[in-house]
């Protein structure tokens, strides 16, 4: 597509529920990144995919967070047993080459109540 | 470990002023540095990308400079307009793929 698409744009869920956040990168971009942005903060790295594999998942906060990219295009960030502290904006970015910078999507605002 | 700091955290200026936003980073071994704009409730829009070998980049009323040796970048906005009101984020590419972000400067341009 023309840009990075993230769905849903907003998600409200109850504490303890499971959520999936979707990212559709720019066509042809092999690298995909997930970041999390809390209110008043800069985005923080979660995970980086090169193709289908997670090349670096060091930013995932705990084992409740998991991400996949089975066909090297669309990625899904999965959060189990959500907690109120998971509330944030989850941003996805893609790039053809990090030397050319990232292109970000509009984000998914997750609210855990 | 790379740390990125942005000063000031917030800035309010009258329309028409020229202004400078500052970004500093602790590890000078960066590949590039990118400036982004973020409107409330929105994602990040890339403004300028400076490679480590470059000193500055310009786009319209925006000019970004990079001084790796001192660990600093500045974003200069000329003739500011109310539509420039947003949060401006800088991000340093540490390693070959991971951007480290500052906490941003919230800019308000008053009409």
């Amino acid at each position: 597509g023309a840009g990075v698409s993230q769905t849903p744009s907003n998600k409200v869920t109850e504490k303890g529920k499971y959520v999936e956040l979707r990212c559709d990168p720019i066509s042809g971009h092999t690298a995909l990144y997930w970041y999390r942005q809390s209110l008043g903060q800069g985005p923080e790295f979660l995970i980086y995919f090169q193709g289908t594999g997670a090349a670096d998942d060091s930013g995932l906060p705990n084992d409740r967070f998991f991400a996949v990219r089975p066909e090297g295009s669309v990625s899904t960030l999965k959060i189990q047993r959500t907690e109120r502290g998971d509330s944030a904006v989850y941003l996805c970015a893609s790039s053809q080459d990090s030397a050319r910078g990232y292109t970000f999507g509009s984000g998914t605002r997750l609210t855990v109540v | 470990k790379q740390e990125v700091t942005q000063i000031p955290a917030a800035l309010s200026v009258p329309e028409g002023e020229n202004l400078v936003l500052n970004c500093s980073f602790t590890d000078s071994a960066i590949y590039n540095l990118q400036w982004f704009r973020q409107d409330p409730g929105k994602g990040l829009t890339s403004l300028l990308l400076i490679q480590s070998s470059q000193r500055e980049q310009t786009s319209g009323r925006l000019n970004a400079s990079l001084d790796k040796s001192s660990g600093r970048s500045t974003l200069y906005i000329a003739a500011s307009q109310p539509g420039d009101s947003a949060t401006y984020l800088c991000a340093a590419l540490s390693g070959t793929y991971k951007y480290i972000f500052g906490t941003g400067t919230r800019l308000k341009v008053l009409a």
Side-chain angles (χ1 to χ4, degrees):
Chain A
V4 178
S5 175
Q6 290 189 247
T7 55
S9 56
N10 280 285
K11 176 72 177 177
V12 180
T13 190
E14 292 181 349
K15 179 176 178 294
K17 298 288 189 183
Y18 168 83
V19 297
E20 290 189 351
L21 312 179
R22 176 188 167 107
C23 173
D24 197 344
I26 292 173
S27 179
H29 281 192
T30 57
L32 185 146
Y33 317 84
W34 284 97
Y35 279 73
R36 179 167 74 172
Q37 186 176 26
S38 300
L39 192 64
Q41 301 297 313
E44 294 182 329
F45 172 82
L46 293 177
I47 187 169
Y48 156 57
F49 286 92
Q50 182 60 248
T52 60
D56 182 350
D57 64 359
S58 63
L60 295 178
N62 52 59
D63 62 6
R64 296 186 298 105
F65 288 74
F66 190 71
V68 296
R69 194 185 185 198
E71 298 179 357
S73 178
V74 171
S75 176
T76 304
L77 178 65
K78 308 180 180 192
I79 310 174
Q80 298 177 323
R81 305 183 305 279
T82 51
E83 300 177 357
R84 292 195 180 88
D86 299 335
S87 297
V89 175
Y90 289 82
L91 295 163
C92 175
S94 70
S95 70
Q96 188 173 26
D97 175 354
S98 59
R100 305 185 195 187
Y102 289 6
T103 300
F104 276 88
S106 297
T108 294
R109 180 175 298 278
L110 175 66
T111 304
V112 182
V113 297
Chain B
K1 178 187 172 186
Q2 178 73 276
E3 293 182 3
V4 178
T5 304
Q6 290 188 247
I7 295 172
L11 182 63
S12 186
V13 300
E15 182 177 7
E17 271 204 9
N18 303 323
L19 57 100
V20 174
L21 307 182
N22 296 293
C23 172
S24 61
F25 45 94
T26 55
D27 183 355
S28 62
I30 62 171
Y31 280 78
N32 63 48
L33 187 140
Q34 199 166 1
W35 282 92
F36 294 89
R37 168 183 172 140
Q38 186 173 35
D39 292 288
K42 304 292 185 183
L44 278 62
T45 300
S46 179
L47 297 174
L48 289 165
L49 172 67
I50 313 176
Q51 301 296 341
S52 61
S53 58
Q54 298 174 322
R55 297 297 295 271
E56 64 179 322
Q57 282 286 338
T58 298
S59 176
R61 295 183 294 108
L62 305 179
N63 175 280
S65 68
L66 176 65
D67 184 344
K68 280 182 58 178
S69 61
S70 67
R72 293 182 183 178
S73 176
T74 61
L75 179 66
Y76 174 83
I77 303 176
S80 58
Q81 303 170 359
D84 295 331
S85 298
T87 295
Y88 291 81
L89 293 154
C90 71
L93 186 64
S94 286
T96 58
Y97 57 85
K98 186 188 297 186
Y99 275 104
I100 306 299
F101 283 81
T103 53
T105 294
R106 295 187 310 280
L107 173 66
K108 186 167 186 177
V109 181
L110 305 170

